[in-house]
């Protein structure tokens, strides 16, 4: 049984862009991005909206599936009233805390050991579809430093090789990213090709 939780006094929306996709009634799926997230609502930037009250399932990078119903529609997308059970709500709250820590820089972004992989050439696909040539300076299970001539803005969702990532800071000759999904230990090593 799914429950809809009313807003709690200490619930705060996180103003953060998280990419993903959403499924409307009838099986229509689209790419999307969040504008803000909270335990009660998700503001979604979307090319197409359903109708008020329509059930929607979001599949958000770094968060997972989030279900609910459309409670408001705007020219840029819609607001989803989150409907989750108690167990999923606890996991969702933990993911929101993690995202807030990442966005504020509280998380140690260099906590994992870094390597220089054998294959350093990489393509960086910007949010607008442009592709930049790049070189992997160093790599960890959770992120990478990329040398390029063009710097995407901090916070932009990009693809580095085949891995989705978010730009977290600029470096002297490029930028650093955190991966949406970290490498698993068994797939990480000098042989890694992004």
């Amino acid at each position: 049984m799914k429950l809809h939780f009313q807003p709690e006094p200490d619930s705060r929306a996180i103003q953060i862009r998280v990419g993903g996709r959403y499924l409307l009634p009838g099986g229509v799926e689209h790419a999307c991005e969040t504008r803000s997230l909270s335990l009660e609502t998700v503001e979604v930037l979307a090319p197409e909206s359903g109708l008020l009250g329509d059930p929607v399932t979001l599949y958000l990078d770094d968060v997972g599936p989030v279900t609910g119903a459309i409670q408001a529609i705007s020219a840029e997308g819609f607001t989803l009233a989150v409907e989750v059970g108690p167990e999923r709500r606890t996991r969702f709250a933990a993911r929101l805390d993690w995202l807030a820590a990442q966005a504020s820089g509280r998380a140690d972004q260099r906590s994992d050991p870094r390597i220089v992989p054998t294959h350093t050439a990489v393509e960086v696909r910007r949010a607008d579809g442009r592709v930049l040539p790049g070189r992997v300076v160093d790599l960890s299970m959770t992120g990478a430093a990329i040398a390029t001539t063009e710097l995407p803005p901090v916070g932009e969702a990009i693809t580095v090789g085949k891995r989705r990532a978010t730009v977290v800071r600029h470096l002297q000759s490029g930028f650093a990213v955190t991966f949406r999904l970290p490498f698993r230990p068994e797939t990480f090593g000098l042989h890694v090709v992004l």
Side-chain angles (χ1 to χ4, degrees):
M1 179 173 142
K2 303 256 177 168
L3 303 173
H4 177 69
F5 288 88
Q6 295 301 316
E8 298 168 0
D10 64 343
S11 296
R12 296 183 324 261
I14 302 167
Q15 305 300 312
I16 189 168
R17 301 285 177 119
V18 177
R21 60 193 198 287
Y22 64 102
L23 189 63
L24 292 173
V28 180
E29 187 175 275
H30 298 280
C32 67
E33 188 175 62
T34 65
R35 177 180 284 166
S36 69
L37 291 161
S38 77
L39 289 174
E40 291 77 37
T41 60
V42 179
E43 193 175 349
V44 181
L45 301 173
E48 185 176 321
S49 177
L51 303 173
L52 286 176
D54 274 355
V56 175
T57 301
L58 295 174
Y59 299 94
L60 298 175
D61 299 333
D62 292 327
V63 176
V66 179
T67 58
I70 295 176
Q71 79 173 24
I73 298 172
S74 72
E76 299 160 332
F78 59 90
T79 300
L80 184 77
V82 176
E83 299 173 355
V84 294
E87 183 180 321
R88 176 68 182 135
R89 182 178 171 84
T90 301
R91 290 196 308 267
F92 186 38
R95 295 310 291 169
L96 291 180
D97 288 345
W98 181 83
L99 284 170
Q102 292 291 319
S104 70
R106 290 192 319 256
D108 181 3
Q109 297 172 13
R110 294 194 61 106
S111 60
D112 291 328
R114 298 208 164 243
I115 63 169
V116 178
T118 307
H119 304 286
T120 59
V122 68
E123 284 189 344
V124 176
R125 183 171 303 277
R126 299 278 311 270
D128 63 8
R130 287 182 294 140
V131 178
L132 311 173
R135 180 179 55 80
V136 179
V137 176
D138 63 22
L139 176 68
S140 76
M141 289 173 46
T142 57
I146 309 294
T148 60
T149 56
E150 184 179 324
L151 298 179
V154 171
E156 183 175 321
I158 63 173
T159 303
V160 179
K162 295 180 180 176
R163 297 193 75 82
R164 291 183 180 183
T166 302
V167 178
V168 292
R169 66 183 170 277
H170 290 152
L171 307 170
Q172 190 170 4
S173 61
F175 57 93
V177 299
T178 184
F179 297 130
R180 298 289 175 101
L181 294 173
F183 281 99
R184 293 189 315 271
E186 61 271 19
T187 62
F188 185 73
L190 293 176
H191 62 282
V192 165
V193 177
L194 291 177

